[in-house]
Amino acid sequence: MKILITGGAGYIGSHTIIEILENTNWEVISIDNYSSSSEKTYQRIEKITGKKVTYYNIDLTDLSLTEKVFAENTDIAGIIHFAAFKSVPESVENPLMYYHNNLNSLINILKCQAKYNIPNLIFSSSCSVYGNLTELPVTETTPLNKPESPYAYTKQIGEKMVDDFIKTNANLKAISLRYFNPVGAHKSGLNGEVPIARPNNLVPYITQTAIGKLEQLTVFGGDYATNDGTCIRDYVHVCDIASAHVKALQKLVDDKNFEQHSIINLGTGVGVSVLEAIKAFEKVSNQKLNYKIGPRRAGDVEAIYANNTKAKELINWTPKFNIDEMMLSAWLWEQNLNKM
Ligand code: UD1
């Protein structure tokens, strides 16, 4: 079957394409506008899998250009919609950019899904939809709190939009996957995250500091009410995230009675503090990291980790990798990236 991936040149999109090409006989077409990635990703995918991906350079906020892809490919069986801006601090600084891009592209994908009668959609959501919580771990029924950033709000609205829209058409189904903190890289060391500018996320910041591209990591806040004062997150290997997409889509294809729209957490269920993440990196890379404790970052939540029982029950997904393996793969990738 033919699958459309939006944001296929991006971090999670590219790992998902690799997972698909390595483990299924699905054909992949990808749309990306390289706003935070590059066309070179497809060469890396080809090198790892030995397979080619058909790809389009299109901005999904342009409906007529987006529609052309659907008109050219009338046999798409499912869409995995990754394409979105994803930086919490950037969204705090430039909210309209986030509302415009993340919401309009989703609206256009939903319009095309209905118009071209594509039965299945997987939507990339985020644990940021939960906001600040007092009860952990979070389950999918935990009520959503106030979003802490415009990015988080685009994901709350996105899920609601998918839910409202899917229910207007009995032929359509969707799963929204709430990612916790995807990190790490493909085991080959040949694909991983490529931060275009200065990275915002913790793990690329750590690896870039270790390799000398950045001078020092600042830990954002050492006075949170957690075991060591730093924020707690649920880091999950990007290849585990990728395999969940394959399982989720296969479930929608196979199970005609599956709920029209389900929401599923993708996390390991293990909360790791920033300092623990740094320690894991230091252990696997066998070096000390240059870091200091600095002020809190706007938009950050204090602590969040998943209850992932629903993913196990509904799509038979259990994450395989622990924090050491995540850090080691990210470090291998950073060293390879340095040679490219
Ligand atoms: C947030 C979202 C997540 C989303 C991701 C996309 C929440 C709870 N999570 O992740 O769902 O997928 O954005 O980008 O909103 N940190 C430092 N120093 C740094 C960088 C980060 O201390 O230089 C800390 C942060 O304060 C945070 C942790 O590391 O506690 C992880 O940060 P980051 O990797 O940016 O991800 P989130 O903001 O948690």
Side-chain angles (χ1 to χ4, degrees), residues 266-279:
L266 295 183
T268 61
V270 181
V272 171
S273 75
V274 178
L275 290 180
E276 285 167 347
I278 292 171
K279 277 193 199 108

Side-chain angles (χ1 to χ4, degrees), residues 262-318:
S262 323
I263 291 178
I264 301 177
N265 282 344
L266 295 183
T268 61
V270 181
V272 171
S273 75
V274 178
L275 290 180
E276 285 167 347
I278 292 171
K279 277 193 199 108
F281 175 80
E282 289 182 329
K283 184 172 91 182
V284 300
S285 68
N286 207 14
Q287 62 172 293
K288 283 266 159 245
L289 191 74
N290 181 13
Y291 69 89
K292 64 165 192 228
I293 310 280
R296 293 181 175 195
R297 176 174 73 174
D300 263 340
V301 306
E302 180 169 277
I304 188 159
Y305 53 94
N307 174 315
N308 60 14
T309 311
K310 193 171 173 187
K312 170 112 188 85
E313 285 174 2
L314 288 193
I315 60 169
N316 192 25
W317 177 80
T318 316

Side-chain angles (χ1 to χ4, degrees), residues 7 31-37 56-60 85 101:
I31 297 180
D32 209 301
N33 68 349
Y34 314 118
S35 58
S36 46
S37 63
Y56 298 84
N57 178 355
I58 282 173
D59 183 338
L60 293 166
F85 293 152
N101 185 64

Side-chain angles (χ1 to χ4, degrees), residues 5 7 27 51 83 139 162 182 202 224 229 231 238 245 267 279 328:
I5 309 258
E27 184 190 338
K51 292 183 186 167
T139 72
V162 169
L202 179 66
Y224 286 99
C231 288
V238 67
H245 287 78
K279 277 193 199 108
L328 188 59

Side-chain angles (χ1 to χ4, degrees), residues 12 85-89 98 125-132 148-149 151-152 155 178-183 193 199-206 209 214 216-221 224 230-235 272-275 277-278 292 294-304:
I12 308 178
F85 293 152
K86 61 150 205 176
S87 161
V88 168
Y98 273 68
S125 187
S126 154
C127 70
S128 61
V129 298
Y130 292 111
N132 261 311
E148 289 295 314
S149 67
Y151 162 75
K155 294 298 178 185
R178 287 181 181 159
Y179 315 149
F180 280 66
N181 284 59
V183 299
E193 189 164 11
N200 290 305
N201 294 114
L202 179 66
V203 174
Y205 215 105
I206 289 178
T209 305
L214 297 171
Q216 189 179 44
L217 169 79
T218 301
V219 174
F220 296 137
Y224 286 99
T230 66
C231 288
I232 290 182
R233 294 288 183 274
D234 185 336
Y235 298 95
V272 171
S273 75
V274 178
L275 290 180
I278 292 171
K292 64 165 192 228
R296 293 181 175 195
R297 176 174 73 174
D300 263 340
V301 306
E302 180 169 277
I304 188 159

Side-chain angles (χ1 to χ4, degrees), residues 129-297:
V129 298
Y130 292 111
N132 261 311
L133 296 170
T134 44
E135 237 174 85
L136 292 169
V138 277
T139 72
E140 293 80 353
T141 52
T142 301
L144 304 188
N145 247 314
K146 177 178 83 64
E148 289 295 314
S149 67
Y151 162 75
Y153 199 27
T154 66
K155 294 298 178 185
Q156 278 193 358
I157 301 168
E159 283 186 4
K160 179 77 174 115
M161 228 150 68
V162 169
D163 198 68
D164 289 342
F165 185 71
I166 289 290
K167 286 176 181 163
T168 64
N169 188 332
N171 296 325
L172 307 183
K173 279 199 167 57
I175 296 180
S176 293
L177 296 175
R178 287 181 181 159
Y179 315 149
F180 280 66
N181 284 59
V183 299
H186 191 260
K187 61 178 185 298
S188 62
L190 298 175
N191 191 47
E193 189 164 11
V194 190
I196 294 286
R198 205 178 172 82
N200 290 305
N201 294 114
L202 179 66
V203 174
Y205 215 105
I206 289 178
T207 57
Q208 288 198 15
T209 305
I211 209 143
K213 281 186 197 161
L214 297 171
E215 206 188 321
Q216 189 179 44
L217 169 79
T218 301
V219 174
F220 296 137
D223 58 351
Y224 286 99
T226 59
N227 52 348
D228 60 18
T230 66
C231 288
I232 290 182
R233 294 288 183 274
D234 185 336
Y235 298 95
V236 47
H237 198 298
V238 67
C239 294
D240 277 329
I241 295 275
S243 76
H245 287 78
V246 176
K247 284 173 181 278
L249 191 52
Q250 191 68 57
K251 184 73 188 175
L252 289 184
V253 170
D254 292 344
D255 187 349
K256 297 293 164 223
N257 299 319
F258 203 66
E259 202 185 342
Q260 244 198 310
H261 177 219
S262 323
I263 291 178
I264 301 177
N265 282 344
L266 295 183
T268 61
V270 181
V272 171
S273 75
V274 178
L275 290 180
E276 285 167 347
I278 292 171
K279 277 193 199 108
F281 175 80
E282 289 182 329
K283 184 172 91 182
V284 300
S285 68
N286 207 14
Q287 62 172 293
K288 283 266 159 245
L289 191 74
N290 181 13
Y291 69 89
K292 64 165 192 228
I293 310 280
R296 293 181 175 195
R297 176 174 73 174

